[in-house]
Amino acid sequence: MIRMPARLPAGSKVRYGGDYNPEQWPREVWEADYAAFDLASIDTVTLNVFSWATLQPDEDTYDFALLDAVVERAVAGGRDVVLATSTGALPPWLAHRHPEVERTDFQGRRHVYGQRHNACPSSPVYRRLSAELAGRIAERYAGTPGLVAWHVGNEYGGFDGGCWCELCAAGFRDWLRERYGTLDRLNDAWNGAFWSHTFTGWAQVVPPNMLSEHWRGPDHTAFQGITLDYRRFMSDAMLANFRDEKARIREHDTSTPVTTNFMGMFRPIDYHRWAADLDFASWDNYPPGQREHARMALAHDVMRGLKDGAPFWVMEQTPTITASRDVNPLKRPGMLRLWSWQAVAHGADAVLYFQMRQSKGACEKYHGAVLDHAGRTDTRSFREVAALGAELDTLGDAVLGARTPARVALLFDWDSWWAAEMTDGFNRHARYVDTVLAYYRALWQAGAQVDVVPVTADLDRYDVVLAPMLHVLSGDVAARLEAVVARGGSVLSSYWSGRADEDANAYLMDAPGPLGPLFGVRVEETDSAEPGVTNPVTLKDGDGGGPDGDVVSPASLVFEVVVPQGAEVVGTYGAEFYAGTPAVTRHRPDGRDGGEAWYVATALDDVGVAWVTRRVLDRHGLVGPYADVDDVELAVREGADGARTAFVLNHAAVVVDVVAHASGTDLLTGRRVVAGETLRLEPADVVVLREETPR
């Protein structure tokens, strides 16, 4: 996979603002809005996200008068502009005139006009007209003062992640010809001899959905290889839409960065496949609950990893509530500030909102906004928005462009995610992101600085590499993990790893397949249990080290029966016929002075995962100074000049006292901090410490 360097929008501070839709309002409202934006230190607005019907009332007519006024007012108000191509939702006339642009869902139902995410990515008409609109917008507004970025589409892949129509079927067949070349290779990849699936003509291939290979839903497929390839194809088909529009923009503007807003850990699209085409990564941060600080940190790091550690943007977050969940809780006082600073701590160079003013109608009319329906500036939420804006002004350019100095890598792999969760014979309750998050949470609490990277990433700069549930082995990843251990580093992986090749076919060898020599084990059997059924795993460090002594972890869901092949036993099962056999192992191929490869054959609880992870980190001196203080986060950004800024964030609901790890200046208050002094952190408190360089 080609890793293209990031091209970031220029600026003098962390950008602040968000998605603004003045086309929905009379012009007198615009004036009140901009006055409020001044109060909140809003410097950037995203315009024109959903205006296709206004810009192009029919196929042969374009009308930019309203957008001209919108852009002119933003520029006159001193705001920088992110200008969208407005192709995230079809206009009614387009679906009426060309019904083939409407998507067909996973159930095989052709949709009629409505909602958004409503276009077939393989439709020649959609591709032609969306690219034409992007080109006309770029031609008209390229060179606009304050234009800092182009925003293509919006949240690609919503609904069930794509389309299953005849146009997509034809596109899939073309994609397969390019990938496999011959039907013999295709049949081998898909194991076509099973269930009489040997294809003798390309036209015989149909998309895998509820009318063909699936039952019960998208995770139940008769042929994992077919479904895996269709997910890869659909991700690429939507990427082609992005490329269409970006290419037309580049005809008129060769330098302004281009992005689209991702959705964090969003299963339908492999964002790693898109990374090279983005100038910079951006995403929409809507956590599913109130206590999701580790999950948000993981999602931020996934986004940062798309461009090899370069800063990213938070393109959307809500100031108050979302409007899309069954239950939409309010952000408690201080949460907006805390979560925004967490984003900056993990590499965000922009913190933007959806939306700037609440819509008066439709499904997002109660979605949170900087300005509510009354346009008030004396509410708690607006005061918090304004206070955060002032703090970002105070921060200035102190961390712009700065990166995370990580020596720990965590591999995140869409192929493994897709394949593991649609493979029969295991446990449907064991989920890929839950497994990855369990290990990330342990790293996060330990204060380790982490890069979340694709399996194609260069691992040479990392002392520790975690690869939980690395189900699919792509390319030379096994050899590169071996190289980490060979040079003295540590690798950790978990159950179900090394089971399948890139075609989702099982390796014809002992599990964990090509990873077996690295971990010094073979998996003889794999047991599963319903949620709530546990097997106690006793963890004992044979070296006698570590901060927690021996622990018993109630493991669940997956229990691999492991036979050591050179590895030492660190944890053993306490129940079932395999009681006393290994559940956690450590392999030192070159003896105690060399590297280590840890294999965790079951789903340990959080205490067990932390116990194992802390030992791996401690060996390399990578446990942070606040590791033993629950819910206190340490994140570091380091500039090209070596200047380090440490963010200390208190996610606990109580006051916490910690011992300052370094001397420096709190950039938000100007207070000098001395290493060793007590820092009192109120709930949701943040310290942004510019560390002093040791003399």
Side-chain angles (χ1 to χ4, degrees), residues 145-413:
L147 177 64
V148 295
W150 295 101
H151 181 316
V152 172
N154 190 76
E155 294 185 336
Y156 281 91
F159 287 124
D160 46 11
C163 180
W164 287 260
C165 72
E166 284 303 316
L167 291 171
C168 287
F172 184 41
R173 290 188 281 267
D174 289 341
W175 185 92
L176 292 171
R177 286 190 190 95
E178 183 175 350
R179 178 176 177 84
Y180 294 112
T182 68
L183 285 168
D184 285 343
R185 173 68 185 100
L186 175 77
N187 287 316
D188 179 65
W190 289 357
N191 194 32
F194 181 76
W195 281 4
S196 193
H197 268 54
T198 301
F199 293 93
T200 57
W202 295 103
Q204 298 164 10
V205 176
V206 298
N209 65 1
M210 288 300 289
L211 301 180
S212 58
E213 301 296 351
H214 283 257
W215 73 98
R216 289 174 59 188
D219 286 340
H220 295 77
T221 175
F223 280 79
Q224 290 86 39
I226 298 176
T227 298
L228 179 60
D229 272 343
Y230 198 77
R231 289 181 177 175
R232 290 164 170 162
F233 156 72
M234 188 50 59
S235 185
D236 287 353
M238 287 183 273
L239 174 57
N241 295 168
F242 176 86
R243 287 171 171 165
D244 289 344
E245 295 189 39
K246 183 178 179 181
R248 294 301 297 274
I249 290 170
R250 285 286 176 248
E251 292 176 5
H252 307 285
D253 183 343
T254 60
S255 60
T256 304
V258 180
T259 192
T260 189
N261 51 332
F262 287 158
M263 291 180 279
M265 293 175 291
F266 178 63
R267 193 172 74 160
I269 296 181
D270 183 346
Y271 290 149
H272 292 139
R273 293 174 178 267
W274 289 52
D277 291 277
L278 299 175
D279 290 325
F280 66 101
S282 67
W283 81 289
D284 300 346
N285 183 22
Y286 296 109
Q290 297 274 48
R291 299 285 299 165
E292 300 287 348
H293 31 278
R295 185 186 185 96
M296 283 189 294
L298 171 57
H300 289 313
D301 289 353
V302 170
M303 293 297 103
R304 194 182 71 243
L306 296 179
K307 300 300 292 183
D308 197 30
F312 60 93
W313 281 22
V314 172
M315 191 65 78
E316 294 183 18
Q317 64 172 345
T318 178
T320 54
I321 67 170
T322 61
S324 58
R325 293 9 181 325
D326 290 343
V327 177
N328 296 280
L330 188 68
K331 279 185 176 175
R332 272 36 185 179
M335 288 298 101
L336 172 64
R337 176 180 185 255
L338 178 65
W339 292 358
S340 298
W341 279 114
Q342 183 190 48
V344 175
H346 282 264
D349 274 1
V351 179
L352 308 179
Y353 297 108
F354 180 85
Q355 50 193 334
M356 300 306 294
R357 173 180 276 275
Q358 282 187 309
S359 173
K360 70 176 183 179
C363 65
E364 291 179 325
K365 67 177 179 289
Y366 296 124
H367 191 291
V370 171
L371 295 169
D372 61 17
H373 290 129
R376 301 193 68 93
T377 59
D378 59 354
T379 62
R380 176 190 66 83
S381 62
F382 185 86
R383 287 193 294 270
E384 289 199 19
V385 168
L388 177 59
E391 286 190 331
L392 291 171
D393 280 348
T394 298
L395 182 72
D397 65 355
V399 298
L400 278 186
R403 293 174 172 241
T404 297
R407 292 166 55 196
V408 178
L410 185 146
L411 303 189
F412 194 95
D413 182 44

Side-chain angles (χ1 to χ4, degrees), residues 2 39 47 63 75 115 125 216-217 230 373 398 577 634 638 641 651 657:
I2 300 173
L39 296 176
L47 304 175
D63 183 355
V75 173
Q115 299 195 40
V125 172
R216 289 174 59 188
Y230 198 77
H373 290 129
F577 71 89
L634 174 67
E638 188 174 284
D641 60 356
H651 297 275
D657 289 331

Side-chain angles (χ1 to χ4, degrees), residues 577-599:
F577 71 89
Y578 40 86
T581 66
V584 179
T585 61
R586 173 174 52 202
H587 188 213
R588 292 163 165 162
D590 297 319
R592 292 185 178 274
D593 295 330
E596 297 182 344
W598 289 69
Y599 190 79

